[in-house]
Amino acid sequence: MSTRSYIGIKLPSGRVKAIYCHFDGYIVNGVGEMFLNHYKDEQAVQDLIALGSLRSLYDSLTSTVAYHRDREDPWDKCTPGHWESQTEYLTLGRSVDYLYLFDPSTETWSVSVGADDFKDLEDAYNDLVESDSNWL
């Protein structure tokens, strides 16, 4: 079973550019933890999003499995999407488990779970680890 997520970046215009990731979207031991340890600057995030939709995210672009590059899916089915605002992007939370958003001005990640407001990813990660929650 997949834990789906979207991975986005805030653009200077206020719009959000994002891609879909099919597997391992959760915060601990998944996409969220990957962002705390890798993809920590704007160029790395832009390069990741340029791959288009992902099957699985790993610690490097070469290890990451992209639908178009690695599985030869048509680019028009994998291209990054654009949303007019962070609020509009947040509505995707109704269709996937996690939304991730990178802010280049602070070089930080935030996360939304189930269309809830965004929360600093590091804080969300620490809260889950400290609570020893089964909801990881």
Side-chain angles (χ1 to χ4, degrees):
M1 189 163 174
S2 59
T3 306
R4 301 164 309 135
S5 61
Y6 268 86
I7 299 164
I9 187 168
K10 287 183 186 180
L11 302 175
S13 64
R15 295 180 74 191
V16 174
K17 181 178 182 180
I19 58 172
Y20 172 76
C21 183
H22 191 70
F23 286 111
D24 302 329
Y26 34 83
I27 296 169
V28 177
N29 296 320
V31 168
E33 191 165 331
M34 195 65 61
F35 290 146
L36 293 176
N37 297 304
H38 308 280
Y39 308 101
K40 296 196 233 182
D41 63 72
E42 182 176 4
Q43 189 59 57
V45 176
Q46 291 283 13
D47 291 346
L48 176 65
I49 289 174
L51 291 175
S53 293
L54 307 176
R55 184 173 194 275
S56 300
L57 176 67
Y58 294 103
D59 61 355
S60 70
L61 293 176
T62 56
S63 300
T64 293
V65 181
Y67 283 113
H68 178 69
R69 181 191 67 190
D70 302 311
R71 297 173 43 120
E72 300 181 6
D73 286 11
W75 178 245
D76 65 333
K77 304 289 185 195
C78 304
T79 187
H82 291 84
W83 289 265
E84 289 301 317
S85 67
Q86 185 173 319
T87 302
E88 185 178 313
Y89 176 59
L90 194 59
T91 63
L92 285 174
R94 296 185 199 120
S95 62
V96 297
D97 301 292
Y98 297 91
L99 297 174
Y100 292 95
L101 185 61
F102 184 77
D103 184 342
S105 68
T106 59
E107 293 198 330
T108 58
W109 284 99
S110 56
V111 62
S112 169
V113 181
D116 288 340
D117 284 337
F118 283 98
K119 179 177 183 175
D120 179 79
L121 176 57
E122 190 168 359
D123 290 344
Y125 177 89
N126 290 334
D127 289 348
L128 288 170
V129 170
E130 289 171 10
S131 71
D132 194 31
S133 175
N134 288 328
W135 177 76
L136 302 176

